[in-house]
């Protein structure tokens, strides 16, 4: 998976280079996260082939991070306490479900 594919999937113009460094850094992290979650290496004849759902997960997760949506789960004003949700929402991770292998 490469920068051009991610930009195409999230609807970002190729000429927009503002987030290129971030996207390039996140791609391998999210691919490995998908492999771990799915218990699947996505190898076909010795080559890594990412299914469309995994590619969509990577693109959606990057888009979620770029848009900077608040992951604030709870907030307390007295003595200031904030709790954040560090997981991606279900509409992002749902793309991985068909590729998940069971571990015995």
């Amino acid at each position: 998976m490469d920068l051009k594919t991610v930009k195409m999937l999230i609807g970002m113009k190729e000429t927009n280079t503002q987030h290129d460094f971030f996207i390039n850094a996140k791609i391998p992290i999210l691919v490995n996260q998908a492999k771990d979650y799915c218990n699947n290496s996505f190898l076909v004849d010795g080559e890594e082939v990412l299914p469309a759902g995994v590619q969509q997960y990577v693109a959606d997760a990057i888009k979620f991070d770029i848009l900077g949506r608040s992951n604030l789960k709870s907030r307390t004003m007295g003595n200031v306490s904030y709790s954040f949700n560090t997981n991606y929402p279900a509409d992002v991770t749902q793309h991985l479900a068909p590729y998940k292998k069971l571990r015995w």
Side-chain angles (χ1 to χ4, degrees):
M1 185 153 202
D2 61 353
L3 177 67
K4 185 177 179 180
T5 304
V6 171
K7 284 185 167 185
M8 180 190 65
L9 288 172
I10 64 175
M12 183 184 287
K13 293 181 182 178
E14 280 190 62
T15 56
N16 182 352
T17 60
Q18 181 181 3
H19 301 289
D20 286 2
F21 183 77
F22 175 76
I23 294 171
N24 279 323
K26 284 296 271 195
I27 290 172
I29 293 168
L30 291 168
V31 168
N32 285 331
Q33 194 175 48
K35 287 179 182 179
D36 290 344
Y37 178 83
C38 295
N39 302 316
N40 193 336
S41 61
F42 302 111
L43 291 177
V44 176
D45 297 328
E47 278 191 49
E48 182 180 84
V49 178
L50 296 177
V54 174
Q55 291 183 23
Q56 190 64 52
Y57 161 74
V58 171
D60 287 350
I62 288 173
K63 184 177 182 179
F64 183 83
D65 288 340
I66 287 174
L67 292 178
R69 295 194 179 130
S70 176
N71 291 333
L72 186 63
K73 190 172 15 175
S74 66
R75 168 175 57 183
T76 308
M77 296 308 276
N79 287 338
V80 185
S81 173
Y82 293 96
S83 295
F84 292 93
N85 187 3
T86 57
N87 296 326
Y88 290 111
D91 62 329
V92 173
T93 58
Q94 71 183 354
H95 303 292
L96 297 178
Y99 308 104
K100 190 169 185 176
K101 290 184 177 181
L102 296 177
R103 243 186 247 184
W104 301 105

